[in-house]
Amino acid sequence: MAQTTTGRFDLLGLDGMSADELGSLLDEAEGFVGAVERGESSERLAGKIVANLFFEDSTRTRCSFTVAAVRLGAATLDLTGAGSSLSKGESMLDTALNVEAMGVDAMVVRSGRSGTPHLVARSVGCPVINAGDGRHEHPTQGLLDILTLRRRWGDVAGRTVVIVGDIANSRVARSNVHGLTTLGADVLLVGPPALVPHSFTQIAAGPGRVTVSHDLDDALPRADAVMMLRIQLERHDDGGSGAIPPDYRRQYGLTVDRAAGLEADVPVMHPGPMNRGVEIDSEVADDPARSVIMQQVTHGVAVRMAVLNRAIAG
Ligand code: CP
């Protein structure tokens, strides 16, 4: 959802966004890529304040929103779970309401609980951007992934993106499925049966399709791009005490040997954080001819500049 009934721009998920809405945001992000690459700033959002409320750990998303805000001339207010009054029992919603009362122009919210940004958005008057909520969605990650592919291909329609890993627990996979299929790409989800629910085939937004495979070697020849995901033990029902299966890398890792079998122009993606030597070998992650992982990070700043600009400046 991108637009509230009040006309305010919230970005809570890619689910429900039209191809035109996605295209418009991606076009705006495209316009910021050059500035990000050259390290240029502007005063578009001078005098504005962006509140980063990160109730769950983050490196890329939190830093990227901060860089995006600063590049647009805005100030940032950074609040994380550690060191805040959450430790005294204050709720996330009360935290957000207090920050709103201080007078901020947008809130960026990450939470381990699905739906927290939606709850905040219903309760505050400023725009709210979902920076990842539980297993649900990570819309700016989906947008930056799609921007990376669109810049490479011109158009994602008709392409097949193979996403490999812990799909069941991945908000990145969910946002990519919504966004890519809306724009006409097919998504092939790959991983162990317990981590790749067939229910994901039902969330294709069309015209793209979603299919499932449990055989990586069978899936890879169909890939126009390969996106590797880590196993998110912290979201497993045992609370993260479990271990990665010993033969996971052999069955589902993008090893040097597997990557060598891909067509030369197939990019390898990863949203981070990576578990090197598990879902992806270091030689593949660092291969300048194959890996677009750092491009994804750079494009993330451009996407967040577009989203903040849309939310605050309209
Ligand atoms: N891709 C991503 O969300 O990374 P962080 O958890 O470091 O923000």
Side-chain angles (χ1 to χ4, degrees):
M1 187 219 310
Q3 203 85 30
T4 65
T5 50
T6 60
R8 190 180 87 197
F9 178 88
D10 292 331
L11 182 63
L12 300 177
L14 301 191
D15 184 14
M17 286 182 72
S18 69
D20 284 348
E21 285 176 310
L22 289 168
S24 162
L25 261 182
L26 291 165
D27 288 345
E28 192 166 344
E30 179 76 49
F32 284 118
V33 171
V36 176
E37 289 175 340
R38 292 188 296 275
E40 293 171 1
S41 299
S42 72
E43 295 298 314
R44 284 171 192 249
L45 298 185
K48 304 296 184 185
I49 299 175
V50 175
N52 285 324
L53 307 186
F54 276 64
F55 304 118
E56 186 192 64
D57 291 346
S58 168
T59 295
R60 277 147 295 273
T61 311
R62 187 156 71 93
C63 295
S64 181
F65 268 109
T66 298
V67 172
V70 169
R71 288 265 174 245
L72 292 167
T76 60
L77 179 162
D78 276 300
L79 186 138
T80 58
S84 77
S85 289
L86 285 164
S87 64
K88 302 172 195 167
E90 187 164 39
S91 72
M92 291 188 239
L93 183 55
D94 279 337
T95 303
L97 289 169
N98 277 266
V99 169
E100 183 196 25
M102 295 172 201
V104 299
D105 298 285
M107 284 187 199
V108 179
V109 179
R110 166 169 287 196
S111 170
R113 290 190 198 156
S114 301
T116 299
H118 307 68
L119 179 64
V120 171
R122 285 196 294 274
S123 308
V124 301
C126 66
V128 174
I129 298 156
N130 181 358
D133 66 319
R135 299 178 172 95
H136 178 231
E137 279 229 38
H138 193 347
T140 56
Q141 180 71 46
L143 286 169
L144 75 88
D145 293 334
I146 296 169
L147 180 66
T148 301
L149 294 173
R150 207 182 76 150
R151 296 192 88 228
R152 191 177 179 95
W153 296 332
D155 188 354
V156 300
R159 303 283 187 157
T160 298
V161 180
V162 173
I163 306 180
V164 187
D166 186 358
I167 308 299
N169 293 294
S170 176
R171 55 199 179 203
V172 175
R174 193 176 289 272
S175 286
N176 267 287
V177 165
H178 288 304
L180 286 166
T181 56
T182 298
L183 294 172
D186 292 335
V187 179
L188 174 50
L189 302 171
V190 183
L195 299 182
V196 186
H198 270 272
S199 57
F200 266 73
T201 59
Q202 306 303 313
I203 67 168
R209 293 160 300 157
V210 178
T211 50
V212 162
S213 169
H214 306 301
D215 184 338
L216 181 57
D217 294 308
D218 182 57
L220 286 179
R222 289 181 262 167
D224 292 308
V226 181
M227 184 184 302
M228 303 305 297
L229 304 176
R230 74 186 170 95
I231 296 189
Q232 307 209 170
L233 291 175
E234 76 277 16
R235 292 204 192 112
H236 289 197
D237 290 338
D238 59 12
S241 58
I244 292 169
D247 64 344
Y248 185 82
R249 175 177 175 272
R250 184 184 61 75
Q251 280 192 289
Y252 295 108
L254 191 57
T255 59
V256 171
D257 286 347
R258 282 203 173 99
L262 292 169
E263 294 291 334
D265 61 351
V266 173
V268 169
M269 312 175 78
H270 197 305
M274 284 187 278
N275 289 146
R276 291 170 180 262
V278 181
E279 74 270 12
I280 189 166
D281 282 3
S282 274
E283 295 86 340
V284 181
D286 300 333
D287 180 354
R290 178 77 78 189
S291 169
V292 295
I293 295 169
M294 290 303 133
Q295 280 179 35
Q296 290 172 264
V297 176
T298 301
H299 295 158
V301 178
V303 160
R304 285 153 186 145
M305 287 173 78
V307 170
L308 289 175
N309 191 52
R310 184 75 65 91
I312 297 174

